[in-house]
Amino acid sequence: MAKTRVGILNVTGYAGIELARLLAGHPGVELVSVTGRSSAGQRIGQVFPHMANLDLTIKSELDEVDLVFSALPHHESADQLIPFIEQGVSVIDVSADFRLKDPGLYDEWYGFKHPAPELLKTAVYGLPELHRAEIRQSRVIANPGCYPTASILALGPALKAGVVGGNVIVDAKSGVSGAGRSLKLSSHFCESDEDVCAYAIASHRHQPEIFQELAGVSGDITGVTFTPHLIPMTRGILATCYAKLNNNVSETDVTAIYHDFYRDEPFVSVVSEAPHTKHTSGTNMCLVYTKIDHRTGLLICIAAIDNLIKGAAGQAIQNMNLMLGLPEETGLPRLAQFP
């Protein structure tokens, strides 16, 4: 049986090259074409020596494929994916261009008018733990952002069970790879090493995405206060979330709610101690931990992920597996690299 031919738009970013690395070892598909304008014409091993065994030349346009991953920047991604969608090719967008259902939010948060607002109605938000059935039937998948993945998986079960509501607070930290591969002063070694800072305070583009999905879980949520921080490490996201309890529930009750919600999930594990980002490094796993602060009546929910795997490339492949009818875990690592 012929393997599904897949291609990657913009293989030269961190998410793109992680996609290539994971797809190269995937038994159910064949990576046949990759693009990257600044490196067009070069062998992939010339740009990324660790990928020298992959027999591919980076091109300016994709060859014929059955499924496309886009790791292009927002706005540019939608423009390049629309022709594939019109041709009936399945697409998985790792950018933000199909995540928000309200096209007006792209003007407000991203500063551009969406080129195909009609597609936002049919695109499926690619968080399998919430939308698995829809993903299986869709040909346009909006791969979630890294911060939203951790935040939604941390808070979702409690909101679904109705034990929390109101405004939730998400305090999240990310490694420097989350800023992408393009040169920025804030991600220079001398600027970021031995430093921690909050950024995009009350204005980060992932805020409406987090609210959209959590509001779909429960109408009891009224808002999201989201503050991201840059941490001097390469990989990882740790999201610590706070929500007001609606009723008098015990630690045992909350633990049971989370275990039940994630009972059959291959890539979410409810843990008994607060997780470290290193516990998920190199994996498609999300580790979730909860604790009640009885003095304040708050539920504290913590989630750890690898921002480049479960927060980007790994989750995209998880979505691809669902779309193609393959076992969901195919080609995806679950054991962390350590140290």
Short mmCIF file of all heavy atoms in Angstrom, two decimals, residues 177-208:
data_model
loop_
_atom_site.label_atom_id
_atom_site.label_comp_id
_atom_site.label_asym_id
_atom_site.label_seq_id
_atom_site.Cartn_x
_atom_site.Cartn_y
_atom_site.Cartn_z
N SER A 177 13.25 28.86 22.38
CA SER A 177 12.87 28.36 21.06
C SER A 177 11.45 28.74 20.69
O SER A 177 11.10 28.76 19.51
CB SER A 177 13.04 26.84 20.99
OG SER A 177 12.17 26.18 21.90
N GLY A 178 10.63 29.06 21.70
CA GLY A 178 9.26 29.49 21.41
C GLY A 178 9.19 30.79 20.63
O GLY A 178 8.17 31.09 20.00
N ALA A 179 10.27 31.56 20.66
CA ALA A 179 10.31 32.82 19.92
C ALA A 179 10.66 32.63 18.45
O ALA A 179 10.67 33.58 17.68
CB ALA A 179 11.31 33.77 20.57
N GLY A 180 10.96 31.38 18.06
CA GLY A 180 11.29 31.12 16.67
C GLY A 180 12.78 31.27 16.39
O GLY A 180 13.57 31.64 17.26
N ARG A 181 13.15 31.02 15.13
CA ARG A 181 14.56 30.99 14.74
C ARG A 181 15.05 32.33 14.20
O ARG A 181 16.26 32.54 14.07
CB ARG A 181 14.75 29.89 13.69
CG ARG A 181 16.19 29.49 13.47
CD ARG A 181 16.29 28.15 12.76
NE ARG A 181 17.69 27.80 12.50
CZ ARG A 181 18.22 27.72 11.28
NH1 ARG A 181 17.46 27.94 10.21
NH2 ARG A 181 19.49 27.42 11.12
N SER A 182 14.14 33.23 13.87
CA SER A 182 14.56 34.54 13.36
C SER A 182 15.31 35.31 14.43
O SER A 182 15.01 35.21 15.62
CB SER A 182 13.34 35.35 12.90
OG SER A 182 12.65 34.68 11.86
N LEU A 183 16.27 36.11 13.99
CA LEU A 183 17.09 36.87 14.93
C LEU A 183 16.27 37.97 15.60
O LEU A 183 15.60 38.76 14.94
CB LEU A 183 18.28 37.48 14.20
CG LEU A 183 19.30 36.49 13.64
CD1 LEU A 183 20.40 37.23 12.88
CD2 LEU A 183 19.91 35.66 14.76
N LYS A 184 16.34 38.00 16.94
CA LYS A 184 15.70 39.04 17.72
C LYS A 184 16.63 39.39 18.87
O LYS A 184 17.28 38.50 19.44
CB LYS A 184 14.36 38.57 18.30
CG LYS A 184 13.35 38.05 17.29
CD LYS A 184 12.09 37.58 18.00
CE LYS A 184 11.11 36.91 17.05
NZ LYS A 184 11.61 35.61 16.56
N LEU A 185 16.68 40.65 19.24
CA LEU A 185 17.57 41.07 20.33
C LEU A 185 17.23 40.32 21.62
O LEU A 185 18.12 39.89 22.35
CB LEU A 185 17.45 42.58 20.56
CG LEU A 185 18.37 43.17 21.64
CD1 LEU A 185 19.83 42.97 21.26
CD2 LEU A 185 18.07 44.65 21.85
N SER A 186 15.94 40.13 21.89
CA SER A 186 15.52 39.51 23.15
C SER A 186 15.94 38.05 23.27
O SER A 186 15.98 37.51 24.38
CB SER A 186 14.00 39.63 23.32
OG SER A 186 13.34 38.94 22.26
N SER A 187 16.24 37.39 22.14
CA SER A 187 16.63 35.98 22.20
C SER A 187 18.13 35.77 22.02
O SER A 187 18.59 34.63 21.98
CB SER A 187 15.85 35.17 21.15
OG SER A 187 16.07 35.69 19.85
N HIS A 188 18.89 36.84 21.93
CA HIS A 188 20.35 36.70 21.93
C HIS A 188 20.79 36.11 23.27
O HIS A 188 20.21 36.39 24.31
CB HIS A 188 21.02 38.06 21.73
CG HIS A 188 20.92 38.56 20.32
ND1 HIS A 188 21.64 39.64 19.87
CD2 HIS A 188 20.18 38.13 19.27
CE1 HIS A 188 21.35 39.86 18.60
NE2 HIS A 188 20.47 38.96 18.21
N PHE A 189 21.86 35.33 23.23
CA PHE A 189 22.33 34.68 24.45
C PHE A 189 22.59 35.67 25.58
O PHE A 189 22.14 35.49 26.71
CB PHE A 189 23.60 33.87 24.15
CG PHE A 189 24.19 33.20 25.36
CD1 PHE A 189 23.68 31.98 25.81
CD2 PHE A 189 25.24 33.77 26.07
CE1 PHE A 189 24.21 31.35 26.92
CE2 PHE A 189 25.78 33.14 27.19
CZ PHE A 189 25.26 31.94 27.61
N CYS A 190 23.30 36.74 25.28
CA CYS A 190 23.67 37.70 26.33
C CYS A 190 22.46 38.44 26.88
O CYS A 190 22.50 38.96 28.01
CB CYS A 190 24.69 38.70 25.80
SG CYS A 190 26.31 37.99 25.49
N GLU A 191 21.39 38.52 26.11
CA GLU A 191 20.19 39.21 26.55
C GLU A 191 19.30 38.29 27.40
O GLU A 191 18.66 38.73 28.36
CB GLU A 191 19.38 39.71 25.35
CG GLU A 191 20.12 40.68 24.46
CD GLU A 191 20.24 42.06 25.06
OE1 GLU A 191 19.41 42.42 25.93
OE2 GLU A 191 21.16 42.79 24.64
N SER A 192 19.21 37.00 27.03
CA SER A 192 18.25 36.11 27.68
C SER A 192 18.87 35.26 28.78
O SER A 192 18.16 34.82 29.70
CB SER A 192 17.60 35.20 26.65
OG SER A 192 18.56 34.40 25.98
N ASP A 193 20.19 34.99 28.72
CA ASP A 193 20.81 34.15 29.73
C ASP A 193 20.77 34.82 31.11
O ASP A 193 20.93 36.04 31.21
CB ASP A 193 22.26 33.86 29.34
CG ASP A 193 22.91 32.85 30.26
OD1 ASP A 193 22.28 31.82 30.55
OD2 ASP A 193 24.05 33.09 30.69
N GLU A 194 20.53 34.03 32.14
CA GLU A 194 20.46 34.51 33.53
C GLU A 194 19.43 35.62 33.70
O GLU A 194 19.61 36.55 34.47
CB GLU A 194 21.84 34.98 34.01
CG GLU A 194 22.89 33.88 33.99
CD GLU A 194 24.19 34.31 34.61
OE1 GLU A 194 24.23 34.44 35.86
OE2 GLU A 194 25.15 34.54 33.85
N ASP A 195 18.31 35.48 32.98
CA ASP A 195 17.28 36.52 33.03
C ASP A 195 15.91 35.88 32.87
O ASP A 195 15.77 34.87 32.16
CB ASP A 195 17.50 37.54 31.91
CG ASP A 195 16.53 38.70 31.97
OD1 ASP A 195 16.50 39.40 33.00
OD2 ASP A 195 15.78 38.90 30.98
N VAL A 196 14.92 36.42 33.55
CA VAL A 196 13.53 36.02 33.37
C VAL A 196 12.71 37.29 33.23
O VAL A 196 12.90 38.24 34.00
CB VAL A 196 12.99 35.18 34.56
CG1 VAL A 196 11.52 34.85 34.35
CG2 VAL A 196 13.80 33.90 34.72
N CYS A 197 11.81 37.31 32.25
CA CYS A 197 10.99 38.52 32.08
C CYS A 197 9.60 38.16 31.58
O CYS A 197 9.43 37.19 30.84
CB CYS A 197 11.66 39.50 31.13
SG CYS A 197 11.78 38.92 29.42
N ALA A 198 8.62 38.94 32.00
CA ALA A 198 7.27 38.86 31.43
C ALA A 198 7.24 39.70 30.16
O ALA A 198 7.95 40.70 30.03
CB ALA A 198 6.25 39.37 32.44
N TYR A 199 6.41 39.29 29.22
CA TYR A 199 6.30 40.07 27.97
C TYR A 199 4.87 40.00 27.45
O TYR A 199 4.08 39.17 27.89
CB TYR A 199 7.30 39.56 26.92
CG TYR A 199 7.06 38.15 26.44
CD1 TYR A 199 6.37 37.90 25.26
CD2 TYR A 199 7.54 37.05 27.17
CE1 TYR A 199 6.15 36.60 24.81
CE2 TYR A 199 7.32 35.75 26.73
CZ TYR A 199 6.64 35.53 25.55
OH TYR A 199 6.42 34.25 25.11
N ALA A 200 4.56 40.88 26.51
CA ALA A 200 3.21 40.94 25.92
C ALA A 200 2.14 40.88 27.00
O ALA A 200 1.15 40.16 26.88
CB ALA A 200 3.02 39.82 24.90
N ILE A 201 2.31 41.67 28.05
CA ILE A 201 1.42 41.63 29.20
C ILE A 201 0.04 42.15 28.81
O ILE A 201 -0.08 43.25 28.26
CB ILE A 201 2.00 42.45 30.36
CG1 ILE A 201 3.38 41.87 30.75
CG2 ILE A 201 1.07 42.44 31.57
CD1 ILE A 201 4.16 42.77 31.69
N ALA A 202 -0.98 41.34 29.05
CA ALA A 202 -2.37 41.67 28.70
C ALA A 202 -2.56 41.92 27.21
O ALA A 202 -3.55 42.54 26.81
CB ALA A 202 -2.87 42.87 29.50
N SER A 203 -1.64 41.43 26.38
CA SER A 203 -1.76 41.69 24.94
C SER A 203 -1.22 40.53 24.08
O SER A 203 -1.06 40.70 22.88
CB SER A 203 -1.01 42.98 24.58
OG SER A 203 0.38 42.87 24.87
N HIS A 204 -0.94 39.38 24.68
CA HIS A 204 -0.38 38.28 23.89
C HIS A 204 -1.43 37.67 22.98
O HIS A 204 -2.59 37.47 23.36
CB HIS A 204 0.19 37.20 24.82
CG HIS A 204 1.11 36.25 24.12
ND1 HIS A 204 0.63 35.22 23.33
CD2 HIS A 204 2.47 36.18 24.07
CE1 HIS A 204 1.66 34.55 22.83
NE2 HIS A 204 2.79 35.10 23.26
N ARG A 205 -1.03 37.33 21.77
CA ARG A 205 -1.96 36.84 20.74
C ARG A 205 -2.58 35.50 21.06
O ARG A 205 -3.59 35.12 20.45
CB ARG A 205 -1.21 36.76 19.41
CG ARG A 205 -0.87 38.12 18.83
CD ARG A 205 0.17 38.01 17.75
NE ARG A 205 0.35 39.29 17.07
CZ ARG A 205 1.36 39.55 16.23
NH1 ARG A 205 2.26 38.61 15.98
NH2 ARG A 205 1.45 40.73 15.64
N HIS A 206 -2.02 34.77 22.00
CA HIS A 206 -2.62 33.49 22.37
C HIS A 206 -3.80 33.64 23.32
O HIS A 206 -4.54 32.67 23.55
CB HIS A 206 -1.56 32.58 23.01
CG HIS A 206 -0.63 31.97 22.02
ND1 HIS A 206 0.52 31.29 22.38
CD2 HIS A 206 -0.67 31.91 20.66
CE1 HIS A 206 1.14 30.86 21.30
NE2 HIS A 206 0.43 31.22 20.24
N GLN A 207 -4.00 34.82 23.87
CA GLN A 207 -5.10 35.01 24.83
C GLN A 207 -6.47 34.71 24.22
O GLN A 207 -7.25 33.95 24.81
CB GLN A 207 -5.05 36.43 25.42
CG GLN A 207 -6.04 36.69 26.54
CD GLN A 207 -7.44 37.05 26.04
OE1 GLN A 207 -7.58 37.55 24.93
NE2 GLN A 207 -8.45 36.81 26.84
N PRO A 208 -6.82 35.28 23.05
CA PRO A 208 -8.16 34.96 22.50
C PRO A 208 -8.31 33.50 22.12
O PRO A 208 -9.42 32.95 22.17
CB PRO A 208 -8.26 35.88 21.27
CG PRO A 208 -6.86 36.19 20.90
CD PRO A 208 -6.11 36.25 22.20
#
